[in-house]
Amino acid sequence: MCFRSRPKFVIKYATSTMKDKKYKELKFSAVGYSIGKLVQIVEVLKVVIPDLYQQNRITSVAYQTIDSNQKVLKQQLYPKLEVILSIEPFKEKNEGTQDKLDEKDRKLFEEHMKKRSEEIEKNRGRGRGRGRRGGFRARRGRFRGRRFGFRGNR
């Protein structure tokens, strides 16, 4: 998963693979800034797909900058989060293992997600903001009207 991944499409792909292709396990990993998106995606998947068990593991990854003589110029450490979602419970319970959500909590989260999406749809409308239609900025290059956009006779 990368920083530019869109959570909506990752969630859609993950739900389709779990339901249609009958996979029993999904593995995700994220490094650095993309960890926030990974957490968001995993929490939504646990609500959308019932009875998912979760196992987390956090480590660090070292990236090195090497010159032409194979000498290390700079080394940076980045956090890495690995998440495994499974339909079956894990055999070994580690520090990062989470059980499935209770049905009551899952329904509560699902209602909240539906309410939030309805609010977004309600607020999405035709505003009078700076859209990409018409006007000087929407057209690439020079304005094609008379005298830099003046209307009327001059």
Side-chain angles (χ1 to χ4, degrees):
M1 164 160 290
C2 70
F3 183 64
R4 295 182 186 204
S5 297
R6 294 199 131 172
K8 173 180 166 181
F9 299 122
V10 175
I11 292 167
K12 187 175 181 180
Y13 177 73
T15 53
S16 68
T17 55
M18 287 292 276
K19 291 179 180 177
D20 298 341
K21 298 183 181 178
K22 307 285 191 260
Y23 284 107
K24 295 181 181 180
E25 195 173 90
L26 287 174
K27 293 182 181 181
F28 293 101
S29 66
V31 177
Y33 291 113
S34 58
I35 289 176
K37 284 190 180 184
L38 176 61
V39 170
Q40 176 188 6
I41 289 168
V42 167
E43 293 301 322
V44 170
L45 282 175
K46 285 175 65 175
V47 172
V48 172
I49 303 171
D51 302 332
L52 278 181
Y53 294 90
Q54 179 180 350
Q55 190 173 38
N56 304 323
R57 193 172 88 197
I58 189 160
T59 58
S60 60
V61 179
Y63 287 103
Q64 298 177 344
T65 306
I66 300 174
D67 65 355
S68 60
N69 297 332
Q70 301 298 324
K71 186 176 180 182
V72 177
L73 297 175
K74 183 170 75 170
Q75 181 174 347
Q76 291 181 317
L77 292 174
Y78 293 100
K80 179 179 181 181
L81 178 67
E82 296 174 352
V83 178
I84 300 172
L85 296 174
S86 176
I87 294 174
E88 299 172 354
F90 296 105
K91 294 177 183 172
E92 42 192 65
K93 300 250 179 184
N94 297 340
E95 189 174 354
T97 304
Q98 295 180 9
D99 287 336
K100 60 184 179 181
L101 282 176
D102 294 337
E103 192 62 30
K104 183 177 112 180
D105 292 337
R106 198 180 76 76
K107 291 289 184 187
L108 184 70
F109 287 132
E110 200 169 36
E111 289 174 13
H112 177 70
M113 285 171 46
K114 284 181 184 178
K115 181 180 172 186
R116 179 77 175 130
S117 65
E118 288 171 1
E119 287 176 6
I120 291 172
E121 286 297 321
K122 186 177 83 172
N123 292 336
R124 187 182 300 172
R126 290 192 54 124
R128 297 199 63 178
R130 294 179 61 172
R132 296 294 292 172
R133 296 180 180 216
F136 176 72
R137 293 186 186 270
R139 295 188 187 108
R140 304 284 181 212
R142 192 172 155 259
F143 191 75
R144 292 186 174 87
R146 285 185 178 183
R147 299 263 322 180
F148 302 107
F150 256 71
R151 294 186 180 184
N153 296 330
R154 198 161 186 226

